[in-house]
Amino acid sequence: MAKIEMKNPIAELDGDEMTRVLWAVIKEKLLEPFVDLKTEYYDLGLKSRDDSDDKITYAAAEAIKRLHVGVKCATITSNEARVKEYNLKQLTRSPNGIIREELDGTVFRAPIFVNNIQCCVTSWKKPIVLGRHAYGDVYKNCEIKVPGAGKAELVFTAEDGTEIRKTIQMMKGPGILQGIHNMDKSIESFARCCFNYALDQKISVWLGTKDTISKTYDGNFKTIFQKIFDEEFKAKFDAAGIEYFYTLIDDCVARIMKHEGGILWACKNYDGDVMSDMIASACGSLAMMTSVLVSPDGNFEYEASHGTVQKHYYRYLKGEKTSTNPVATIFAWTGALAKRGELDGTPELVDFAKKLEKATLDVIEEGTMTGDLARLANPPAKQVLDSWAFIDAIAAKLK
Ligand code: NAP
Ligand code: MG
């Protein structure tokens, strides 16, 4: 069988632990036999990032901008324990944080539905797509652990030297401080990314923030979204029969639980982090969710939204063939290949990606799955496989 050609490469960002192990198996069994895979490889494994003082991560982000499409394996965000475990020089920054900042985009996450896994939230009939702002807030914070009493101030010094100064708190004793920021330009592109995505999918957009408490900060998100909607999108939304709806974040959460789904939920960075795991988990598993970072100038990075599945990796190192679910990582690859095919005008590549997705879901719907899904399947799973055998089953179906 002739392999499917790729006109241009995609940026391939390898990662850590269990997902790195599965990454290689997915390439070997599901991609390389069918596609003449062209990638620019960047090793974003923790040691490689540490050795290069994160230069490799910035180079990978550059490659995504140049090639317009990237696919990323889950990576460890280092902490003190990891510094010891991997004998690192330093606490490296979150690679996802770096890439999101470089691409200044919005992360869209949608659960993957299969008919034998029922969503815990019975009212959700259609996927809730989550649009996560991928810039700023606590992900680019500045923190101080205050040793004792004193005055905490917020100061802005303009380029011409003028100052804006406000007292945060007269601290009566030890405590903590945090400074966060966001940029109008980034919030504007977040709004446009969400409205464009919703128009493309013909789904309504919801935004929730806490503007009653955070009148200036969260209020700015509300104001910018409304302005961009009114000026650029209202007429198109009316024509498509969809709407933009703003409410407080707590009201939004309450309403979402009773809604039928089929909407795009635009979330600030931290809300998106928390709520996407809630949606994925309610829909079955963290591994049953797609995730793509879309930048305003048309660059796409596909990834799994879960982490490196550390606990499974330690069991794998002891010789166990773990039943780790590879679906989100497979869908990261299919997303990237389909986008490459779309941009290059190579429909065979798009078609292959769709077939691989269908083969994956067909295998699960026929009752063959990994342990995380077997716990929830109804009718019960016929076969619970380890990751390797599960990937083999998909390869057999694909052939
Ligand atoms: P995790 O890798 O998401 O795994 C947490 C738990 O969720 C696992 O122990 C497992 O539960 C379940 N799970 C997640 N993915 C699964 C899969 N594909 N198949 C089956 N079960 C799955 O989070 P973590 O273990 O807390 O974090 C490990 C590392 O990942 C951390 O160093 C963190 O920095 C990093 N991380 C990276 C990203 C990213 O690169 N996008 C995102 C989040 C975290 P059971 O143990 O019950 O089976
Ligand atoms: Mg998270």
Side-chain angles (χ1 to χ4, degrees), residues 324-346:
T324 313
N325 188 333
V327 172
T329 306
I330 295 172
F331 274 62
W333 275 101
T334 55
L337 292 177
K339 181 54 77 179
R340 180 78 282 165
E342 186 191 315
L343 296 180
D344 290 354
T346 46

Side-chain angles (χ1 to χ4, degrees), residues 374-388:
R375 285 198 288 272
L376 308 161
N378 181 22
K382 290 183 190 142
Q383 261 191 311
V384 185
L385 300 181
D386 64 54
S387 309
W388 291 261

Side-chain angles (χ1 to χ4, degrees), residues 109 132 273 277 305:
R109 289 185 175 162
R132 172 180 172 188
D273 186 359
D277 281 10
S305 65

Side-chain angles (χ1 to χ4, degrees), residues 155-277:
V155 183
F156 170 74
T157 314
E159 280 176 345
D160 69 4
T162 41
E163 258 186 18
I164 305 173
R165 185 178 288 266
K166 283 189 173 186
T167 302
I168 298 169
Q169 181 70 14
M170 296 301 298
M171 308 280 286
K172 295 204 172 80
I176 41 186
L177 288 170
Q178 180 181 57
I180 59 172
H181 84 284
N182 223 299
M183 305 298 296
D184 285 359
K185 186 166 170 284
S186 177
I187 302 169
E188 285 160 9
S189 61
F190 171 42
R192 287 195 185 96
C193 269
C194 287
F195 290 136
N196 277 323
Y197 186 99
L199 266 178
D200 183 57
Q201 304 276 313
K202 301 263 178 306
I203 52 179
S204 292
V205 175
W206 290 21
L207 171 71
T209 75
K210 197 69 182 174
D211 70 289
T212 44
I213 301 297
S214 169
K215 292 184 169 53
T216 304
Y217 199 104
D218 278 19
N220 199 41
F221 280 81
K222 180 182 177 183
T223 308
I224 288 177
F225 263 69
Q226 195 63 54
K227 183 170 183 299
I228 288 184
F229 179 72
D230 291 342
E231 290 175 1
E232 301 171 30
F233 290 93
K234 171 118 185 34
K236 293 181 204 157
F237 268 51
D238 287 347
I242 54 177
E243 59 175 23
Y244 166 58
F245 174 61
Y246 176 85
T247 186
L248 283 172
I249 183 69
D250 36 356
D251 181 48
C252 202
V253 170
R255 284 170 187 260
I256 288 275
M257 298 311 284
K258 295 183 176 168
H259 198 264
E260 62 165 10
I263 57 158
L264 170 64
W265 184 7
C267 285
K268 288 176 60 197
N269 210 345
Y270 174 78
D271 294 340
D273 186 359
V274 177
M275 293 306 167
S276 67
D277 281 10

